[in-house]
């Protein structure tokens, strides 16, 4: 379920935790989601062939070393 | 005023114990008295077992006399954030929900400190479930900064920051998911290391956001920090995210200075909204490095707002998954702010969470190229404004909570998402008399280089020689 609106977020929270919150408490998460979504749209093509996130330690190891 | 044995640094005490100049029992007795009195006054202590601590100290002394030291931290009293599990001992994580919890495993980092000969003399207060950067805790009360009791000590490793600064312990393990080692280190005038993701095991540590949780030390000096890091670093089969790389000797190059190294002074995003006093402090630190022969360059750091958003989303989603059962069954047992933040995590879609994780490698490569491409370290403020008071940041669960959290952790959180090492070093004081902290952020697994740079600054300025007014042993 998308949570790009407070209405959808409220619905999801009610279904998952049986909990109700006012809009002002939902807004932070909704805005963060929207901003991340906007950033992802620009990078979507670049991500098509990427590894899964579990390889992050390996990525750090590969990128270790002195500056140029 | 000198505090005698309480005033010794961790490394100095370890050397003195090894040579038989002082005993572990003397050091442990000093810490226990301090923790029982000043530690409780500052609300830094979650629990102490004096009998067990004194017994361990006597055993350490007897062992040293009989067969020499067990390791480099032989007989040194440490105390840790109350989220490192030790089988059979309480671990309450600053949370009402965890009251009475006795784990059946021991954290790898505690086992390693045990193996190095250190004593574990107390459990220290922390923000509920390590989820907050100021130190506030609705259940245990908010601990006080030993530099001024009206000010926050920083969080979430509040007890460690207070206890090490106030000479109640010689070093402490904190944890850092968005700044929780570097913030209390900076607020309390200490050295704190958030190591590279994968350098130190998290097995047996309470999780908050397993993709961004880091374990590291808070200490009074750079050498102390290196010693503690040396004891805990390295691959752990129980934590599959740890690196199999050989652990370097973090102390080998400690005294080699800053000459020829490149320090990039963070401008751009790091200077947006920065307090003039803090900016001046960073410029003064840069000048010290220039004097020491380092190449100092100013770098226009691009916006890291998006990095912070992704870090927040990952923390929210992962903490919500860890807390979902308690959120359903015991929502009233959370502090209002913590519950509000964890609930927000429930609302992040799974696809967005995975996207934020997958973007990490790209963001890391981009940051290393754009920001750390030509530098050994980025010099940036830990906090963009002077250490605030408890009252100023006491917003509970109201609508300002997200704003306060985002503002305090703004400069530290991106480094957790990127997994890079960072050392927090004290660099003077602001007009309110509270310490000012800078962070040196480095390339992956470059802890030794960062410690060398931190030590060069420490040696030149004496930045770690100041004692707070509320201090044991004075």
């Amino acid at each position: 379920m998308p949570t790009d609106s407070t209405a959808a977020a409220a619905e999801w929270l009610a279904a998952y935790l049986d909990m109700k919150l006012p809009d002002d408490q939902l807004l932070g998460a909704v805005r963060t989601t929207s901003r991340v979504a906007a950033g992802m749209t620009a990078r979507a093509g670049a991500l098509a062939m990427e590894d899964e996130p579990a390889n992050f330690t390996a990525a750090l190891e590969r990128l270790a070393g002195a500056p140029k | 005023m000198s505090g005698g044995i309480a005033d010794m640094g961790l490394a100095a005490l370890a050397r003195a114990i090894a040579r038989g100049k002082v005993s572990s029992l003397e050091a442990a007795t000093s810490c226990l008295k301090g923790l029982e009195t000043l530690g409780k006054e500052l609300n830094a202590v979650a629990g102490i077992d004096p009998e067990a601590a004194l017994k361990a100290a006597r055993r350490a002394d007897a062992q040293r006399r009989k067969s020499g030291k067990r390791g480099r931290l032989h007989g040194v009293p440490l105390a840790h954030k109350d989220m490192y599990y030790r089988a059979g001992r309480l671990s309450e994580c600053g949370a009402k929900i965890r009251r009475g919890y006795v784990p059946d495993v021991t954290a790898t980092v505690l086992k390693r400190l045990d193996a190095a000969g250190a004593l574990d003399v107390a459990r220290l207060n922390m923000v509920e479930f390590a989820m907050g950067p100021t130190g506030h805790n609705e259940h245990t009360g908010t601990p006080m900064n030993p530099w001024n009791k009206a000010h926050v000590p920083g969080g979430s490793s509040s007890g460690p920051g207070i206890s090490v600064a106030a000479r109640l312990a010689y070093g402490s393990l904190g944890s850092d998911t968005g700044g929780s080692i570097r913030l209390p280190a900076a607020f309390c005038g200490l050295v704190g290391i958030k190591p590279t993701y994968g350098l130190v095991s998290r097995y047996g540590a309470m999780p908050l956001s397993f993709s961004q949780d880091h374990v590291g030390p808070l200490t009074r000096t750079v050498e102390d920090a290196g010693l503690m890091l040396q004891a805990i670093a390295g691959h752990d089969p129980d934590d599959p995210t740890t690196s199999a790389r050989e652990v370097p000797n973090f102390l080998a190059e400690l005294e080699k200075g800053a000459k020829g190294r490149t320090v990039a002074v963070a401008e751009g995003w790091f200077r947006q909204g920065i307090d003039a006093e803090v900016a001046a402090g960073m410029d003064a630190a840069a000048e010290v490095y220039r004097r020491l022969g380092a190449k100092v360059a100013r770098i226009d750091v691009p916006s890291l707002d998006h990095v912070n958003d992704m870090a927040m989303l990952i923390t929210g989603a992962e903490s919500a998954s860890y807390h979902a059962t308690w959120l359903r069954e015991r929502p009233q047992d959370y502090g209002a702010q913590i519950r509000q933040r964890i609930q927000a995590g429930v609302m992040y879609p799974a696809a967005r969470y995975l996207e934020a994780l997958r973007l990490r490698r790209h963001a890391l490569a981009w940051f290393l190229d754009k920001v750390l491409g030509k530098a050994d370290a980025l010099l940036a403020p830990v906090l963009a404004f002077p250490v605030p008071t408890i009252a100023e940041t006491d917003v509970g669960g109201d609508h300002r909570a997200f704003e306060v959290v985002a503002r305090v952790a703004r400069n530290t959180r991106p480094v957790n998402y990127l997994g890079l090492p960072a050392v927090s070093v004290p660099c003077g004081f602001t007009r309110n008399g509270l310490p000012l902290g800078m962070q040196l952020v480095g390339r992956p697994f470059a802890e030794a280089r960062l410690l060398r740079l931190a030590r060069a600054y420490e040696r030149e300025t004496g930045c770690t020689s100041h004692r707070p007014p509320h201090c044991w042993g004075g």
Side-chain angles (χ1 to χ4, degrees):
Chain A
M1 178 181 290
T3 54
D4 290 358
S5 76
T6 50
E11 207 176 314
W12 168 238
L13 197 62
Y16 189 64
L17 290 182
D18 193 21
M19 194 175 278
K20 284 182 184 170
L21 286 179
D23 274 9
D24 67 327
Q25 289 192 25
L26 301 171
L27 210 53
V30 169
R31 283 181 177 156
T32 302
T33 304
S34 301
R35 286 196 299 266
V36 169
M40 288 306 301
T41 305
R43 307 286 309 230
L47 288 172
M49 298 297 288
E50 287 305 320
D51 295 335
E52 58 182 277
N55 289 336
F56 189 61
T57 303
L60 285 159
E61 288 170 342
R62 268 199 304 281
L63 291 165
K68 284 177 248 170
Chain B
M1 192 184 335
S2 168
I5 195 169
D7 228 14
M8 296 174 83
L10 183 158
L13 178 72
R15 284 190 285 267
I17 290 175
R19 289 173 192 151
K21 306 248 185 210
V22 296
S23 69
S24 178
L25 185 62
E26 288 172 88
T29 301
S30 167
C31 289
L32 290 167
K33 283 183 182 168
L35 287 160
E36 286 282 6
T37 52
L38 181 60
K40 289 188 174 171
E41 184 186 322
L42 296 171
N43 197 16
V45 181
I48 318 175
D49 183 348
E51 279 184 34
L54 293 173
K55 191 175 166 188
R58 286 191 191 95
R59 197 167 49 234
D61 287 333
Q63 186 180 24
R64 188 196 63 79
R65 284 191 295 269
K66 189 177 171 193
S67 51
K69 66 178 186 180
R70 187 173 177 195
R72 296 177 82 169
L73 303 178
H74 188 103
V76 175
L78 307 176
H80 310 296
K81 191 174 184 177
D82 192 18
M83 54 165 274
Y84 292 101
Y85 302 158
R86 186 178 286 284
R89 186 182 75 169
L90 279 172
S91 185
E92 300 183 304
C93 308
K96 186 175 178 184
I97 285 173
R98 296 264 87 180
R99 269 189 203 152
Y101 175 63
V102 179
D104 57 5
V105 299
T106 299
T108 297
V109 283
L110 292 189
K111 285 184 189 171
R112 289 183 176 174
L113 290 172
D114 293 346
L119 310 183
D120 180 359
V121 301
R123 299 181 293 114
L124 301 177
N125 274 337
M126 57 185 279
V127 175
E128 182 180 1
F129 288 117
M131 205 163 191
T134 56
H136 288 83
N137 187 316
E138 280 188 35
H139 307 300
T140 60
T142 300
M144 290 166 261
N145 194 310
W147 289 91
N148 183 331
K149 289 193 204 174
H151 288 253
V152 290
S156 62
S157 310
S158 49
I162 296 164
S163 300
V164 178
R167 276 58 175 169
L168 310 173
Y170 292 89
S172 180
L173 289 176
S175 69
D176 194 318
T177 304
S180 289
I181 290 171
R182 286 162 289 158
L183 289 163
F187 288 27
C188 295
L190 299 172
V191 177
I193 304 179
K194 183 208 86 66
T196 308
Y197 185 81
L199 182 68
V200 177
S201 168
R202 288 94 48 83
Y203 176 77
M206 180 213 77
L208 168 57
S209 170
F210 39 85
S211 296
Q212 299 177 110
D213 293 340
H214 299 73
V215 174
L218 290 94
T219 60
R220 285 175 224 152
T221 73
V222 176
E223 183 188 16
D224 294 355
L227 257 178
M228 268 188 85
L229 184 64
Q230 198 75 56
I232 59 175
H235 180 65
D236 175 16
D238 287 327
D239 179 351
T241 63
T242 49
S243 169
R245 282 168 66 101
E246 189 181 343
V247 177
N249 182 342
F250 297 118
L251 302 172
E253 297 192 1
L254 204 59
E255 302 296 338
K256 293 200 171 170
K259 193 172 182 183
R261 302 283 106 188
T262 304
V263 176
V265 181
E267 297 200 336
W269 185 82
F270 277 102
R271 292 289 170 121
Q272 290 169 11
I274 192 172
D275 185 277
E277 274 191 276
V278 177
M282 297 305 114
D283 289 340
E287 199 46 47
V288 170
Y289 278 114
R290 200 187 310 276
R291 203 161 65 227
L292 290 170
K295 289 177 244 169
V296 176
R298 295 191 175 268
I299 181 145
D300 185 6
V301 178
S303 172
L304 299 176
D305 286 342
H306 192 232
V307 169
N308 261 337
D309 280 336
M310 291 187 289
M312 290 286 273
L313 192 149
I314 291 170
T315 301
E318 292 182 353
S319 60
S321 86
Y322 176 69
H323 286 272
T325 302
W326 291 324
L327 273 178
R328 285 192 197 98
E329 296 175 357
R330 304 178 60 181
Q332 73 284 358
D333 289 339
Y334 285 95
Q337 183 179 120
I338 309 304
R339 187 177 65 240
Q340 189 183 341
R341 290 186 62 206
I342 297 173
Q343 281 167 353
V346 169
M347 294 179 274
Y348 297 126
R352 291 280 172 256
Y353 164 69
L354 288 169
E355 286 167 351
L357 281 178
R358 292 173 75 196
L359 258 185
R360 272 222 291 185
R361 292 177 48 211
H362 292 278
L364 172 63
W366 168 81
F367 188 86
L368 291 178
D369 180 48
K370 298 283 182 203
V371 179
L372 281 171
K374 292 178 180 167
D376 292 287
L378 178 73
L379 190 165
V382 173
L383 186 70
F385 46 92
V387 176
T389 63
I390 292 172
E392 282 166 347
T393 46
D394 188 12
V395 292
D398 76 20
H399 64 280
R400 293 169 298 167
F402 280 98
E403 187 190 319
V404 167
V405 169
R407 197 162 167 252
V408 174
R410 176 186 184 269
N411 290 356
T412 49
R413 195 181 297 284
V415 187
N416 294 76
Y417 179 78
L418 298 169
L420 295 171
V423 180
S424 176
V425 185
C427 60
F429 297 85
T430 48
R431 277 193 298 270
N432 63 5
L434 273 290
L436 174 63
M438 63 177 175
Q439 54 180 336
L440 297 167
V441 182
R443 298 179 68 85
F445 300 101
E447 281 81 0
R449 202 172 305 150
L450 294 182
L451 287 167
R452 172 178 167 178
L453 284 169
R455 172 63 186 141
Y457 180 87
E458 177 188 50
R459 197 171 50 209
E460 177 72 7
T461 62
C463 63
T464 57
S465 61
H466 307 284
R467 304 170 84 240
H470 301 283
C471 195
W472 179 245

